[in-house]
Amino acid sequence: MKKLLTLITLFILAQNAIAQKNDLKQIADSIKAEGEMLYRSEWASGHSTQIFTSSFGEKKLLSGGYFSYETKKGMTTVFFSKNENSVVIATVKFDHGLDSSNYNIDTTTRKFTENEKEFYAIRSNAAKAILNDSLFKFYEHISLNLVPTIKNGVKKVYVITAQTSPDEVLLGNDYLIIFDEDNHIIKKSKLHNNLIPLGTGGKEAIKASSHQHLGETSPFITATDICAFKLWRAKTTWVISFVVSAGYVSAWHFRDEFLEILTQAEWQKIMKNK
């Protein structure tokens, strides 16, 4: 009987371990997908700004901001006017290959499409919120980028720290604003507790980077972390980056862009056997 109970216990433990591993894989897949969506938006916005500024600098001065969104054909970035009744003053489009040399720009002034009205509304409401809420922190010489997303009816704006230094990747000081269907803010949250500068590696190459998630910060890597890693991969020497919390270790592998989430127990076991 004791042997049977032992076998049953071992079976239950094995099943629980498998279930936990599957749960962590689903979490990792979801975070990675969100991070890649943010990356495509930020990539399009960054390259579109360079294109618009270099070719139509005078008209760019009329712009009150921009946002990017994904379509079946690729990424679209629109620049809107500064006046109260904003209109689109330029549109830049890329296909899904994200080739910065393969684009189309149209500087015809036009009204927002119905879809663009929704993006503009949540972006505008987010811009007002960050100026009037002490939750949002501002650092000298560092700006914040607004990244609106609408997916499966869920409306969000990520607030991300803009990268300014060639020798650092800035993580943290990022936020998530969630909206209802009428574009009213229903939740604002801080994704990291502070600003985290990580050295990119100079003469002595840095193969790994790491930072901690403590307190109310997510126990897992964030979508904004992945977005930053993908955007600034070329200026680092990193092979892997770790995010460590009390219960988990998230590992982002740069070469194959693979996200792995392990429990602390699994991580300690791996490190013990090295």
Side-chain angles (χ1 to χ4, degrees), residues 29-237:
D29 290 345
S30 176
I31 294 172
K32 181 182 177 183
E34 190 84 353
E36 289 177 335
M37 178 177 66
L38 290 180
Y39 162 72
R40 290 191 294 272
S41 179
E42 280 289 81
W43 183 96
S45 294
H47 285 284
S48 295
T49 299
Q50 291 176 8
I51 291 165
F52 190 27
T53 302
S54 62
S55 301
F56 302 93
E58 290 187 8
K59 192 166 189 179
K60 173 66 172 61
L61 296 175
L62 303 176
S63 174
Y66 57 83
F67 56 83
S68 297
Y69 60 92
E70 195 159 5
T71 69
K72 291 181 179 179
K73 294 182 178 180
M75 296 301 304
T76 297
T77 302
V78 298
F79 296 86
F80 52 84
S81 60
K82 292 179 181 178
N83 51 305
E84 185 174 345
N85 298 312
S86 289
V87 292
V88 175
I89 60 173
T91 308
V92 183
K93 294 183 178 182
F94 301 93
D95 62 25
H96 285 297
L98 300 186
D99 179 352
S100 60
S101 66
N102 184 16
Y103 65 89
N104 176 271
I105 182 168
D106 184 351
T107 56
T108 303
T109 299
R110 61 174 177 83
K111 295 180 180 180
F112 289 112
T113 65
E114 290 303 312
N115 184 45
E116 289 168 351
K117 286 180 183 178
E118 299 297 307
F119 278 93
Y120 175 74
I122 61 175
R123 187 198 183 283
S124 297
N125 290 341
K128 294 173 185 174
I130 67 174
L131 293 176
N132 297 291
D133 192 320
S134 60
L135 173 72
F136 302 93
K137 304 299 180 185
F138 292 88
Y139 293 82
E140 190 175 4
H141 306 307
I142 294 175
S143 60
L144 295 174
N145 290 344
L146 301 178
V147 189
T149 71
I150 301 176
K151 186 177 181 181
N152 299 325
V154 179
K155 300 177 179 181
K156 305 175 185 177
V157 172
Y158 283 90
V159 183
I160 300 176
T161 295
Q163 304 293 326
T164 56
S165 170
D167 301 319
E168 293 177 329
V169 171
L170 298 177
L171 304 178
N173 194 38
D174 47 0
Y175 311 84
L176 177 60
I177 307 174
I178 301 176
F179 298 78
D180 64 18
E181 61 181 11
D182 296 316
N183 303 323
H184 298 132
I185 295 174
I186 57 176
K187 185 178 180 181
K188 293 171 284 188
S189 57
K190 185 184 293 186
L191 298 179
H192 289 81
N193 287 327
N194 51 12
L195 184 65
I196 307 165
L198 298 177
T200 58
K203 293 181 180 179
E204 295 184 9
I206 300 172
K207 295 299 182 182
S209 67
S210 67
H211 68 281
Q212 291 184 309
H213 282 186
L214 304 174
E216 296 179 0
T217 306
S218 168
F220 310 114
I221 193 171
T222 64
T224 53
D225 287 334
I226 291 176
C227 175
F229 292 155
K230 285 177 65 68
L231 279 173
W232 308 112
R233 174 182 177 179
K235 76 174 188 177
T236 76
T237 57

Side-chain angles (χ1 to χ4, degrees), residues 233-252:
R233 174 182 177 179
K235 76 174 188 177
T236 76
T237 57
W238 302 340
V239 174
I240 192 169
S241 191
F242 299 104
V243 177
V244 182
S245 69
Y248 302 93
V249 175
S250 304
W252 176 255

